[in-house]
Amino acid sequence: MVDYIIVGLGLAGTSFAEQLLAGNKSFVVFDDDSQQSSVVAGGLYNPVILKRFTKVWRAHEQLKKAKPFYARLESKLDMRFDYKVPVYRRFASVEEQNLWFDASDKPLLEDFLSTKIIQKDHSCIEATYGYGEVLGTGRIDTESLVKAYTKYLNSRGLLIREKFNYELLELSENYIEYKDLKAKHIVFCDGFGLKRNPFFNYLPLNGTKGELLTIHAPALKINFVLKSSVFLIPIGEDLYRVGATYEWHDKTNEVTEKARQELLSKMETFIKCDYKVVDQKAGIRPTVTDRRPLVGQHPEHKNLYILNGMGSRGVMIAPDASEQLYQFITHQSELDEDMNIRRFDKKYKSLNQ
């Protein structure tokens, strides 16, 4: 008997496993590398939606939890994951400058938006109207983090590298059984794999495919994240991530020429230098219709839980959501209403009448 089974080891599963270790709970994790959204993520923690200059949902609360969380992981695993890098929003017009100033005066955004227009002459970037700087930003190397944490759990015998078979899960009032395991609770952090989960597939997780490029551009030489029609993220050694696409129909992890051309054509509207594409990756983001996470307890089976639906902001949301779920299970604390899956109880009842 263990306290928990976790299904899935992306950012959500990693964050919840850390909660369990801190609480001295016993657990095992099932993961088969089938979900790639955490590995291919850009990894930015950015509290502002830069298309509309609006605040990210629960940005203050999320950053308060996220930054110490990644610092602890760096210390535990003796690796660097958190790169403090500013985000510059390239302005395309005077109108965009004015919208930025209007947004920076709003109480919810004044902590995050610099009121100074940054002018940088750069032969490789077309930025006639300058940039606005987002404060308190950075990049998490999610691929290195997930790989290192996978190795960490595996070395301690806490990871089972196989596909979880939902049909073999047996439910009892006070515990669950899976093959030769018994556990008091099971938490599904299965990303887009939720679509195959018979206990939680009533939830409106759509999934959007995202593709990222990595380019080598020796002449570019920027030490900030550049946001224009796409993000350009420096990752060292003259390499930059370019992304990301949003595709609602294709639900595979296969890279496409269409996405490659879309990203490059957008990038070339503001980047004027030689480059070479050296990598391309794809994954399905676990996105939800109302753009809020899926966290909470199954409507009927009280030892089944879900931690999912982080979308494109998993690096910010996962530490906060995992702590809330842990406190909910352990101490019966209230979950934030916006993320609690009880908001879909009516849908569950209508499907199970």
Side-chain angles (χ1 to χ4, degrees), residues 176-190:
I176 60 99
E177 289 187 72
Y178 182 77
K179 296 184 177 179
D180 58 348
L181 280 171
K182 287 186 179 181
K184 297 175 184 176
H185 314 283
I186 185 167
V187 178
F188 292 102
C189 308
D190 40 4

Side-chain angles (χ1 to χ4, degrees), residues 7-121:
V7 180
L9 193 60
L11 286 172
T14 296
S15 299
F16 196 75
E18 278 295 284
Q19 291 292 327
L20 298 183
L21 287 171
N24 293 314
K25 303 297 184 182
S26 57
F27 68 93
V28 293
V29 180
F30 284 83
D31 188 74
D32 64 350
D33 292 330
S34 63
Q35 303 305 311
Q36 296 293 307
S37 62
S38 294
V39 174
V40 303
L44 290 180
Y45 52 90
N46 165 30
V48 182
I49 300 171
L50 290 174
K51 185 176 182 179
R52 301 184 295 273
F53 304 153
T54 55
K55 175 177 167 287
V56 169
W57 170 75
R58 288 180 57 84
H60 284 91
E61 296 89 341
Q62 290 168 8
L63 288 174
K64 186 177 180 180
K65 301 288 179 61
K67 291 181 179 181
F69 171 78
Y70 294 115
R72 290 192 298 271
L73 277 181
E74 286 182 325
S75 178
K76 171 182 285 193
L77 302 175
D78 194 25
M79 291 181 66
R80 187 180 181 188
F81 305 115
D82 188 355
Y83 296 84
K84 311 295 185 184
V85 57
V87 174
Y88 289 1
R89 169 61 153 82
R90 172 181 170 269
F91 297 128
S93 64
V94 173
E95 288 76 17
E96 282 197 346
Q97 289 181 342
N98 292 333
L99 289 172
W100 179 272
F101 284 125
D102 288 343
S104 66
D105 283 336
K106 296 178 181 178
L108 293 177
L109 287 168
E110 60 184 357
D111 292 340
F112 299 134
L113 298 183
S114 170
T115 56
K116 180 182 178 182
I117 299 295
I118 296 173
Q119 298 288 349
K120 282 182 176 287
D121 292 328

Side-chain angles (χ1 to χ4, degrees), residues 33-312:
D33 292 330
S34 63
Q35 303 305 311
Q36 296 293 307
S37 62
S38 294
V39 174
V40 303
L44 290 180
Y45 52 90
N46 165 30
V48 182
I49 300 171
L50 290 174
K51 185 176 182 179
R52 301 184 295 273
F53 304 153
T54 55
K55 175 177 167 287
V56 169
W57 170 75
R58 288 180 57 84
H60 284 91
E61 296 89 341
Q62 290 168 8
L63 288 174
K64 186 177 180 180
K65 301 288 179 61
K67 291 181 179 181
F69 171 78
Y70 294 115
R72 290 192 298 271
L73 277 181
E74 286 182 325
S75 178
K76 171 182 285 193
L77 302 175
D78 194 25
M79 291 181 66
R80 187 180 181 188
F81 305 115
D82 188 355
Y83 296 84
K84 311 295 185 184
V85 57
V87 174
Y88 289 1
R89 169 61 153 82
R90 172 181 170 269
F91 297 128
S93 64
V94 173
E95 288 76 17
E96 282 197 346
Q97 289 181 342
N98 292 333
L99 289 172
W100 179 272
F101 284 125
D102 288 343
S104 66
D105 283 336
K106 296 178 181 178
L108 293 177
L109 287 168
E110 60 184 357
D111 292 340
F112 299 134
L113 298 183
S114 170
T115 56
K116 180 182 178 182
I117 299 295
I118 296 173
Q119 298 288 349
K120 282 182 176 287
D121 292 328
H122 198 302
S123 60
C124 292
I125 304 174
E126 170 59 43
T128 303
Y129 301 97
Y131 311 90
E133 181 180 359
V134 186
L135 307 175
T137 59
R139 176 181 69 88
I140 302 298
D141 184 347
T142 55
E143 182 174 8
S144 294
L145 187 154
V146 170
K147 288 181 178 178
Y149 203 76
T150 297
K151 184 177 179 181
Y152 171 81
L153 291 184
N154 193 51
S155 69
R156 285 155 177 78
L158 300 176
L159 180 63
I160 300 174
R161 302 303 297 270
E162 65 180 55
K163 183 177 182 179
F164 189 86
N165 188 337
Y166 301 98
E167 295 180 357
L168 298 182
L169 188 62
E170 298 182 24
L171 307 180
S172 301
E173 184 175 350
N174 297 316
Y175 61 90
I176 60 99
E177 289 187 72
Y178 182 77
K179 296 184 177 179
D180 58 348
L181 280 171
K182 287 186 179 181
K184 297 175 184 176
H185 314 283
I186 185 167
V187 178
F188 292 102
C189 308
D190 40 4
F192 189 64
L194 175 74
K195 304 301 285 187
R196 301 189 302 271
N197 186 327
F199 304 103
F200 289 104
N201 61 8
Y202 71 94
L203 295 169
L205 185 136
N206 293 335
T208 53
K209 182 174 182 176
E211 297 193 49
L212 286 172
L213 301 178
T214 302
I215 65 167
H216 184 240
L220 190 51
K221 302 296 184 189
I222 62 173
N223 59 356
F224 54 89
V225 174
L226 176 55
K227 173 64 173 80
S228 186
S229 49
V230 291
F231 274 104
L232 198 64
I233 305 171
I235 59 174
E237 300 181 347
D238 296 323
L239 296 171
Y240 301 85
R241 290 271 170 81
V242 183
T245 59
Y246 286 81
E247 164 61 48
W248 285 268
H249 302 292
D250 180 1
K251 305 298 185 182
T252 71
N253 289 327
E254 302 299 320
V255 299
T256 65
E257 181 64 22
K258 176 184 176 183
R260 177 189 174 105
Q261 294 305 318
E262 176 186 338
L263 291 171
L264 293 180
S265 63
K266 288 181 177 179
M267 183 188 73
E268 289 173 358
T269 63
F270 61 92
I271 295 296
K272 311 297 179 184
C273 66
D274 293 334
Y275 65 87
K276 180 181 179 182
V277 177
V278 296
D279 194 18
Q280 182 174 353
K281 293 182 178 179
I284 309 299
R285 306 178 189 91
T287 51
V288 185
T289 52
D290 63 2
R291 299 186 179 184
R292 296 292 181 263
L294 301 171
V295 184
Q297 185 179 51
H298 190 274
E300 291 186 53
H301 308 299
K302 302 307 181 184
N303 39 21
L304 272 59
Y305 300 87
I306 187 168
L307 181 64
N308 206 324
M310 309 295 159
S312 60

